Amino acid sequence: SDPVISIVNAGADVVIDTEEVYVQSSTSSSPRLIIKNSNADNLPAYLDFWKSSASPADNDIGGIIRFLTANDAGEVGGWSTILSYTTDVSDGSENSVMYFQSYNDGTNYNGMYTGNGRFYGGYLDVGTMIETYAGGIWIGAGAASDTTTIVWDGAAIEFYAGIDDSHYQFKIGTGSTMASNTLITLDADNMYIDTHVKPASDAGHSLGSSGFG
């Protein structure tokens, strides 16, 4: 439908210089903000957040989008947030980061973010970062004692695979944690198979680079 209020560009920019602009409605599923481009070329409309500073610096926040609602105590907060900031403003080597945040049990978490040409995610569930670059998927921060686990949650049983970094081992087993039932263990030189899946006569042996030891 035709707009009730129409602002037509007559060759000059329209500037609204104020601290807050409200678009308000008491109608369900309203108001709706539409940014429309009717040109026949392949270029879109734009929504720009411009941090116009005379002294740009690293870690300047360029823009924030917050999704506000109230809790049962009537406290209004940003339950989900998208924010972007610069990490390097040097000419020719600009870097930036965009965070996607959400709440869990009253705490705001960085659920995932993209920065410096990479994608990171899983802070809340994995406990460390997931990176996708260099033709692969990297899990973990490469730090000491960086125990990282992937769990497959089946209907009747859970399976896990992960790194027990305190012992420099990769483990596969059943359960949801590294302390669960481990069936296969790999270290730098050997593969150990639990006696649950080995013949009794092979108990205690390890499969090394030259076969059974």
Side-chain angles (χ1 to χ4, degrees):
S1 61
D2 293 332
V4 176
I5 299 176
S6 178
I7 300 176
V8 179
N9 185 355
D13 295 335
V14 176
V15 178
I16 301 175
D17 188 357
T18 185
E19 292 184 359
E20 294 183 347
V21 176
Y22 279 85
V23 181
Q24 182 173 318
S25 173
S26 60
T27 303
S28 178
S29 298
S30 295
R32 183 172 58 153
L33 178 63
I34 301 174
I35 303 176
K36 181 179 180 180
N37 180 290
S38 59
N39 194 287
D41 64 15
N42 65 333
L43 299 178
Y46 284 84
L47 177 63
D48 288 334
F49 292 82
W50 185 3
K51 172 65 175 176
S52 179
S53 172
S55 56
D58 295 354
N59 300 318
D60 280 354
I61 298 176
I64 296 177
I65 300 175
R66 294 191 301 165
F67 300 86
L68 305 179
T69 190
N71 60 17
D72 58 9
E75 301 166 334
V76 177
W79 290 64
S80 298
T81 305
I82 303 172
L83 66 90
S84 174
Y85 70 88
T86 63
T87 55
D88 188 348
V89 297
S90 302
D91 185 17
S93 60
E94 297 88 350
N95 290 324
S96 64
V97 170
M98 176 173 284
Y99 280 98
F100 296 82
Q101 302 173 336
S102 61
Y103 269 80
N104 182 67
D105 289 333
T107 301
N108 190 30
Y109 286 92
N110 292 323
M112 63 179 180
Y113 74 95
T114 175
N116 304 333
R118 300 176 181 177
F119 171 82
Y120 306 81
Y123 275 145
L124 178 59
D125 294 330
V126 179
T128 184
M129 69 177 67
I130 299 177
E131 304 179 35
T132 56
Y133 70 101
I137 299 175
W138 296 64
I139 302 176
S145 300
D146 182 22
T147 298
T148 308
T149 308
I150 300 175
V151 177
W152 289 266
D153 187 7
I157 191 171
E158 296 170 331
F159 296 87
Y160 80 87
I163 294 177
D164 182 359
D165 210 22
S166 60
H167 296 91
Y168 307 105
Q169 294 176 329
F170 179 79
K171 297 180 178 181
I172 301 173
T174 58
S176 59
T177 66
M178 200 66 67
S180 304
N181 185 32
T182 301
L183 302 178
I184 299 175
T185 301
L186 302 174
D187 61 21
D189 301 307
N190 298 288
M191 178 175 72
Y192 303 89
I193 303 177
D194 188 88
T195 54
H196 284 88
V197 295
K198 290 190 301 184
S201 60
D202 289 335
H205 288 264
S206 64
L207 182 61
S209 58
S210 58
F212 281 92

PDB file of all heavy atoms in Angstrom, residues 8 19 29 34 37 57 64-65 93-94 101 103-104 111 130 133 138 145 164 167 174 178 182 189-190 200 210:
ATOM      1  N   VAL A   8      10.515  12.403  -0.212  1.00  0.00           N
ATOM      2  CA  VAL A   8      11.011  12.278  -1.587  1.00  0.00           C
ATOM      3  C   VAL A   8      12.346  12.989  -1.699  1.00  0.00           C
ATOM      4  O   VAL A   8      12.492  14.147  -1.265  1.00  0.00           O
ATOM      5  CB  VAL A   8       9.995  12.876  -2.591  1.00  0.00           C
ATOM      6  CG1 VAL A   8      10.541  12.769  -4.009  1.00  0.00           C
ATOM      7  CG2 VAL A   8       8.659  12.173  -2.476  1.00  0.00           C
ATOM      8  N   GLU A  19      18.854  12.445  18.854  1.00  0.00           N
ATOM      9  CA  GLU A  19      19.426  11.306  19.561  1.00  0.00           C
ATOM     10  C   GLU A  19      18.616  10.028  19.360  1.00  0.00           C
ATOM     11  O   GLU A  19      19.177   8.938  19.339  1.00  0.00           O
ATOM     12  CB  GLU A  19      19.530  11.625  21.056  1.00  0.00           C
ATOM     13  CG  GLU A  19      20.559  12.717  21.373  1.00  0.00           C
ATOM     14  CD  GLU A  19      20.705  12.940  22.857  1.00  0.00           C
ATOM     15  OE1 GLU A  19      19.998  12.259  23.637  1.00  0.00           O
ATOM     16  OE2 GLU A  19      21.518  13.796  23.249  1.00  0.00           O
ATOM     17  N   SER A  29       2.239  -7.239  14.558  1.00  0.00           N
ATOM     18  CA  SER A  29       3.232  -7.396  13.477  1.00  0.00           C
ATOM     19  C   SER A  29       3.570  -6.067  12.808  1.00  0.00           C
ATOM     20  O   SER A  29       3.898  -6.027  11.614  1.00  0.00           O
ATOM     21  CB  SER A  29       2.750  -8.403  12.424  1.00  0.00           C
ATOM     22  OG  SER A  29       2.577  -9.684  12.990  1.00  0.00           O
ATOM     23  N   ILE A  34      10.743  -0.917   5.609  1.00  0.00           N
ATOM     24  CA  ILE A  34      11.027  -1.389   4.255  1.00  0.00           C
ATOM     25  C   ILE A  34      11.998  -0.420   3.591  1.00  0.00           C
ATOM     26  O   ILE A  34      11.764   0.786   3.577  1.00  0.00           O
ATOM     27  CB  ILE A  34       9.745  -1.491   3.411  1.00  0.00           C
ATOM     28  CG1 ILE A  34       8.746  -2.455   4.057  1.00  0.00           C
ATOM     29  CG2 ILE A  34      10.070  -1.930   1.981  1.00  0.00           C
ATOM     30  CD1 ILE A  34       7.406  -2.492   3.355  1.00  0.00           C
ATOM     31  N   ASN A  37      14.369  -0.526  -3.360  1.00  0.00           N
ATOM     32  CA  ASN A  37      15.071  -0.007  -4.530  1.00  0.00           C
ATOM     33  C   ASN A  37      14.360  -0.519  -5.768  1.00  0.00           C
ATOM     34  O   ASN A  37      14.221  -1.725  -5.962  1.00  0.00           O
ATOM     35  CB  ASN A  37      16.533  -0.458  -4.531  1.00  0.00           C
ATOM     36  CG  ASN A  37      17.295   0.065  -5.735  1.00  0.00           C
ATOM     37  OD1 ASN A  37      17.074  -0.361  -6.860  1.00  0.00           O
ATOM     38  ND2 ASN A  37      18.223   0.980  -5.494  1.00  0.00           N
ATOM     39  N   ALA A  57      40.297   4.352  15.674  1.00  0.00           N
ATOM     40  CA  ALA A  57      41.269   3.556  16.409  1.00  0.00           C
ATOM     41  C   ALA A  57      40.831   2.099  16.428  1.00  0.00           C
ATOM     42  O   ALA A  57      39.666   1.778  16.197  1.00  0.00           O
ATOM     43  CB  ALA A  57      41.413   4.078  17.835  1.00  0.00           C
ATOM     44  N   ILE A  64      25.788  -1.586  16.198  1.00  0.00           N
ATOM     45  CA  ILE A  64      25.167  -2.611  17.044  1.00  0.00           C
ATOM     46  C   ILE A  64      23.697  -2.730  16.665  1.00  0.00           C
ATOM     47  O   ILE A  64      22.997  -1.725  16.535  1.00  0.00           O
ATOM     48  CB  ILE A  64      25.288  -2.276  18.542  1.00  0.00           C
ATOM     49  CG1 ILE A  64      26.765  -2.256  18.978  1.00  0.00           C
ATOM     50  CG2 ILE A  64      24.508  -3.282  19.385  1.00  0.00           C
ATOM     51  CD1 ILE A  64      26.950  -1.862  20.439  1.00  0.00           C
ATOM     52  N   ILE A  65      23.228  -3.952  16.489  1.00  0.00           N
ATOM     53  CA  ILE A  65      21.799  -4.235  16.336  1.00  0.00           C
ATOM     54  C   ILE A  65      21.381  -5.073  17.534  1.00  0.00           C
ATOM     55  O   ILE A  65      21.944  -6.148  17.777  1.00  0.00           O
ATOM     56  CB  ILE A  65      21.497  -4.998  15.029  1.00  0.00           C
ATOM     57  CG1 ILE A  65      21.935  -4.180  13.807  1.00  0.00           C
ATOM     58  CG2 ILE A  65      20.016  -5.326  14.934  1.00  0.00           C
ATOM     59  CD1 ILE A  65      21.781  -4.927  12.499  1.00  0.00           C
ATOM     60  N   SER A  93      45.694  -2.613   5.696  1.00  0.00           N
ATOM     61  CA  SER A  93      45.664  -3.874   6.450  1.00  0.00           C
ATOM     62  C   SER A  93      44.488  -3.885   7.424  1.00  0.00           C
ATOM     63  O   SER A  93      44.599  -4.374   8.548  1.00  0.00           O
ATOM     64  CB  SER A  93      46.982  -4.086   7.203  1.00  0.00           C
ATOM     65  OG  SER A  93      47.230  -3.027   8.115  1.00  0.00           O
ATOM     66  N   GLU A  94      43.356  -3.343   6.971  1.00  0.00           N
ATOM     67  CA  GLU A  94      42.174  -3.244   7.832  1.00  0.00           C
ATOM     68  C   GLU A  94      41.644  -4.630   8.224  1.00  0.00           C
ATOM     69  O   GLU A  94      41.552  -5.526   7.389  1.00  0.00           O
ATOM     70  CB  GLU A  94      41.067  -2.460   7.125  1.00  0.00           C
ATOM     71  CG  GLU A  94      41.421  -1.011   6.822  1.00  0.00           C
ATOM     72  CD  GLU A  94      42.132  -0.823   5.487  1.00  0.00           C
ATOM     73  OE1 GLU A  94      42.528  -1.849   4.879  1.00  0.00           O
ATOM     74  OE2 GLU A  94      42.282   0.335   5.056  1.00  0.00           O
ATOM     75  N   GLN A 101      25.585 -12.509  19.409  1.00  0.00           N
ATOM     76  CA  GLN A 101      25.499 -12.829  20.824  1.00  0.00           C
ATOM     77  C   GLN A 101      24.073 -13.213  21.211  1.00  0.00           C
ATOM     78  O   GLN A 101      23.103 -12.735  20.626  1.00  0.00           O
ATOM     79  CB  GLN A 101      25.934 -11.627  21.677  1.00  0.00           C
ATOM     80  CG  GLN A 101      27.348 -11.145  21.394  1.00  0.00           C
ATOM     81  CD  GLN A 101      27.677  -9.867  22.140  1.00  0.00           C
ATOM     82  OE1 GLN A 101      26.795  -9.100  22.507  1.00  0.00           O
ATOM     83  NE2 GLN A 101      28.967  -9.632  22.365  1.00  0.00           N
ATOM     84  N   TYR A 103      21.692 -14.857  24.948  1.00  0.00           N
ATOM     85  CA  TYR A 103      21.711 -15.171  26.375  1.00  0.00           C
ATOM     86  C   TYR A 103      21.467 -16.652  26.632  1.00  0.00           C
ATOM     87  O   TYR A 103      20.706 -17.312  25.922  1.00  0.00           O
ATOM     88  CB  TYR A 103      20.638 -14.363  27.100  1.00  0.00           C
ATOM     89  CG  TYR A 103      21.144 -13.036  27.628  1.00  0.00           C
ATOM     90  CD1 TYR A 103      21.261 -11.942  26.779  1.00  0.00           C
ATOM     91  CD2 TYR A 103      21.526 -12.892  28.955  1.00  0.00           C
ATOM     92  CE1 TYR A 103      21.735 -10.731  27.254  1.00  0.00           C
ATOM     93  CE2 TYR A 103      21.997 -11.690  29.438  1.00  0.00           C
ATOM     94  CZ  TYR A 103      22.103 -10.609  28.581  1.00  0.00           C
ATOM     95  OH  TYR A 103      22.573  -9.409  29.048  1.00  0.00           O
ATOM     96  N   ASN A 104      22.119 -17.162  27.684  1.00  0.00           N
ATOM     97  CA  ASN A 104      21.851 -18.500  28.191  1.00  0.00           C
ATOM     98  C   ASN A 104      21.976 -18.470  29.706  1.00  0.00           C
ATOM     99  O   ASN A 104      23.027 -18.094  30.243  1.00  0.00           O
ATOM    100  CB  ASN A 104      22.838 -19.517  27.611  1.00  0.00           C
ATOM    101  CG  ASN A 104      22.538 -20.932  28.081  1.00  0.00           C
ATOM    102  OD1 ASN A 104      21.514 -21.515  27.734  1.00  0.00           O
ATOM    103  ND2 ASN A 104      23.419 -21.479  28.899  1.00  0.00           N
ATOM    104  N   GLY A 111      27.914 -16.373  20.681  1.00  0.00           N
ATOM    105  CA  GLY A 111      27.581 -17.667  20.100  1.00  0.00           C
ATOM    106  C   GLY A 111      28.461 -18.002  18.916  1.00  0.00           C
ATOM    107  O   GLY A 111      28.887 -19.134  18.733  1.00  0.00           O
ATOM    108  N   ILE A 130      35.775 -22.966  16.895  1.00  0.00           N
ATOM    109  CA  ILE A 130      35.787 -23.759  15.677  1.00  0.00           C
ATOM    110  C   ILE A 130      36.179 -22.824  14.552  1.00  0.00           C
ATOM    111  O   ILE A 130      35.560 -21.788  14.372  1.00  0.00           O
ATOM    112  CB  ILE A 130      34.414 -24.395  15.385  1.00  0.00           C
ATOM    113  CG1 ILE A 130      34.004 -25.344  16.517  1.00  0.00           C
ATOM    114  CG2 ILE A 130      34.449 -25.147  14.062  1.00  0.00           C
ATOM    115  CD1 ILE A 130      32.627 -25.937  16.327  1.00  0.00           C
ATOM    116  N   TYR A 133      39.189 -22.708   7.806  1.00  0.00           N
ATOM    117  CA  TYR A 133      40.107 -22.018   6.912  1.00  0.00           C
ATOM    118  C   TYR A 133      41.161 -23.014   6.447  1.00  0.00           C
ATOM    119  O   TYR A 133      41.261 -24.127   6.951  1.00  0.00           O
ATOM    120  CB  TYR A 133      40.762 -20.802   7.585  1.00  0.00           C
ATOM    121  CG  TYR A 133      41.763 -21.129   8.675  1.00  0.00           C
ATOM    122  CD1 TYR A 133      43.129 -21.077   8.435  1.00  0.00           C
ATOM    123  CD2 TYR A 133      41.331 -21.488   9.949  1.00  0.00           C
ATOM    124  CE1 TYR A 133      44.038 -21.375   9.429  1.00  0.00           C
ATOM    125  CE2 TYR A 133      42.239 -21.782  10.942  1.00  0.00           C
ATOM    126  CZ  TYR A 133      43.596 -21.718  10.679  1.00  0.00           C
ATOM    127  OH  TYR A 133      44.482 -22.018  11.676  1.00  0.00           O
ATOM    128  N   TRP A 138      39.059 -26.558  11.897  1.00  0.00           N
ATOM    129  CA  TRP A 138      39.955 -26.638  13.045  1.00  0.00           C
ATOM    130  C   TRP A 138      39.134 -26.453  14.314  1.00  0.00           C
ATOM    131  O   TRP A 138      38.373 -25.499  14.436  1.00  0.00           O
ATOM    132  CB  TRP A 138      41.032 -25.554  12.972  1.00  0.00           C
ATOM    133  CG  TRP A 138      41.950 -25.699  11.794  1.00  0.00           C
ATOM    134  CD1 TRP A 138      41.602 -25.614  10.466  1.00  0.00           C
ATOM    135  CD2 TRP A 138      43.346 -25.957  11.813  1.00  0.00           C
ATOM    136  NE1 TRP A 138      42.694 -25.797   9.672  1.00  0.00           N
ATOM    137  CE2 TRP A 138      43.793 -26.007  10.463  1.00  0.00           C
ATOM    138  CE3 TRP A 138      44.279 -26.128  12.832  1.00  0.00           C
ATOM    139  CZ2 TRP A 138      45.120 -26.236  10.128  1.00  0.00           C
ATOM    140  CZ3 TRP A 138      45.598 -26.348  12.494  1.00  0.00           C
ATOM    141  CH2 TRP A 138      46.007 -26.413  11.165  1.00  0.00           C
ATOM    142  N   SER A 145      46.354 -28.139  27.671  1.00  0.00           N
ATOM    143  CA  SER A 145      45.180 -28.727  28.329  1.00  0.00           C
ATOM    144  C   SER A 145      43.886 -28.328  27.645  1.00  0.00           C
ATOM    145  O   SER A 145      42.870 -28.072  28.279  1.00  0.00           O
ATOM    146  CB  SER A 145      45.150 -28.335  29.821  1.00  0.00           C
ATOM    147  OG  SER A 145      46.307 -28.788  30.475  1.00  0.00           O
ATOM    148  N   ASP A 164      42.116 -35.497  24.428  1.00  0.00           N
ATOM    149  CA  ASP A 164      42.489 -35.375  25.835  1.00  0.00           C
ATOM    150  C   ASP A 164      43.876 -34.754  25.848  1.00  0.00           C
ATOM    151  O   ASP A 164      44.888 -35.445  25.854  1.00  0.00           O
ATOM    152  CB  ASP A 164      42.479 -36.749  26.506  1.00  0.00           C
ATOM    153  CG  ASP A 164      42.819 -36.669  27.985  1.00  0.00           C
ATOM    154  OD1 ASP A 164      43.084 -35.547  28.471  1.00  0.00           O
ATOM    155  OD2 ASP A 164      42.829 -37.715  28.647  1.00  0.00           O
ATOM    156  N   HIS A 167      46.872 -35.527  28.199  1.00  0.00           N
ATOM    157  CA  HIS A 167      47.640 -36.749  27.975  1.00  0.00           C
ATOM    158  C   HIS A 167      48.108 -36.883  26.523  1.00  0.00           C
ATOM    159  O   HIS A 167      48.642 -37.923  26.137  1.00  0.00           O
ATOM    160  CB  HIS A 167      46.799 -37.980  28.343  1.00  0.00           C
ATOM    161  CG  HIS A 167      46.430 -38.048  29.794  1.00  0.00           C
ATOM    162  ND1 HIS A 167      45.253 -37.497  30.285  1.00  0.00           N
ATOM    163  CD2 HIS A 167      47.077 -38.569  30.856  1.00  0.00           C
ATOM    164  CE1 HIS A 167      45.199 -37.707  31.590  1.00  0.00           C
ATOM    165  NE2 HIS A 167      46.289 -38.340  31.967  1.00  0.00           N
ATOM    166  N   THR A 174      32.061 -44.313  23.930  1.00  0.00           N
ATOM    167  CA  THR A 174      30.643 -44.109  24.189  1.00  0.00           C
ATOM    168  C   THR A 174      30.484 -43.242  25.422  1.00  0.00           C
ATOM    169  O   THR A 174      31.313 -43.262  26.328  1.00  0.00           O
ATOM    170  CB  THR A 174      29.911 -45.439  24.394  1.00  0.00           C
ATOM    171  OG1 THR A 174      30.515 -46.154  25.479  1.00  0.00           O
ATOM    172  CG2 THR A 174      29.989 -46.293  23.132  1.00  0.00           C
ATOM    173  N   MET A 178      34.941 -37.073  28.148  1.00  0.00           N
ATOM    174  CA  MET A 178      36.202 -37.786  28.017  1.00  0.00           C
ATOM    175  C   MET A 178      36.386 -38.830  29.116  1.00  0.00           C
ATOM    176  O   MET A 178      37.161 -39.759  28.983  1.00  0.00           O
ATOM    177  CB  MET A 178      37.356 -36.786  28.046  1.00  0.00           C
ATOM    178  CG  MET A 178      38.649 -37.299  27.453  1.00  0.00           C
ATOM    179  SD  MET A 178      38.545 -37.611  25.674  1.00  0.00           S
ATOM    180  CE  MET A 178      38.345 -35.948  25.048  1.00  0.00           C
ATOM    181  N   THR A 182      35.980 -45.292  27.073  1.00  0.00           N
ATOM    182  CA  THR A 182      36.860 -45.091  25.927  1.00  0.00           C
ATOM    183  C   THR A 182      37.139 -46.425  25.242  1.00  0.00           C
ATOM    184  O   THR A 182      37.583 -47.379  25.881  1.00  0.00           O
ATOM    185  CB  THR A 182      38.195 -44.453  26.357  1.00  0.00           C
ATOM    186  OG1 THR A 182      37.922 -43.195  26.980  1.00  0.00           O
ATOM    187  CG2 THR A 182      39.100 -44.237  25.162  1.00  0.00           C
ATOM    188  N   ASP A 189      52.396 -42.369  18.800  1.00  0.00           N
ATOM    189  CA  ASP A 189      53.052 -43.564  18.260  1.00  0.00           C
ATOM    190  C   ASP A 189      52.170 -44.800  18.179  1.00  0.00           C
ATOM    191  O   ASP A 189      52.461 -45.714  17.422  1.00  0.00           O
ATOM    192  CB  ASP A 189      54.285 -43.919  19.119  1.00  0.00           C
ATOM    193  CG  ASP A 189      55.296 -42.796  19.174  1.00  0.00           C
ATOM    194  OD1 ASP A 189      55.703 -42.327  18.100  1.00  0.00           O
ATOM    195  OD2 ASP A 189      55.668 -42.397  20.295  1.00  0.00           O
ATOM    196  N   ASN A 190      51.085 -44.855  18.954  1.00  0.00           N
ATOM    197  CA  ASN A 190      50.343 -46.104  19.078  1.00  0.00           C
ATOM    198  C   ASN A 190      48.832 -45.880  19.040  1.00  0.00           C
ATOM    199  O   ASN A 190      48.344 -44.770  19.277  1.00  0.00           O
ATOM    200  CB  ASN A 190      50.692 -46.809  20.404  1.00  0.00           C
ATOM    201  CG  ASN A 190      52.140 -47.189  20.494  1.00  0.00           C
ATOM    202  OD1 ASN A 190      52.598 -48.106  19.821  1.00  0.00           O
ATOM    203  ND2 ASN A 190      52.884 -46.468  21.343  1.00  0.00           N
ATOM    204  N   ALA A 200      40.335 -61.707  23.995  1.00  0.00           N
ATOM    205  CA  ALA A 200      40.947 -61.716  25.320  1.00  0.00           C
ATOM    206  C   ALA A 200      42.453 -61.942  25.254  1.00  0.00           C
ATOM    207  O   ALA A 200      43.217 -61.432  26.073  1.00  0.00           O
ATOM    208  CB  ALA A 200      40.279 -62.784  26.183  1.00  0.00           C
ATOM    209  N   SER A 210      54.703 -50.615  13.724  1.00  0.00           N
ATOM    210  CA  SER A 210      55.172 -51.879  13.166  1.00  0.00           C
ATOM    211  C   SER A 210      54.226 -53.028  13.509  1.00  0.00           C
ATOM    212  O   SER A 210      54.623 -54.184  13.455  1.00  0.00           O
ATOM    213  CB  SER A 210      56.577 -52.192  13.688  1.00  0.00           C
ATOM    214  OG  SER A 210      56.580 -52.252  15.118  1.00  0.00           O
TER     215      SER A 210
END
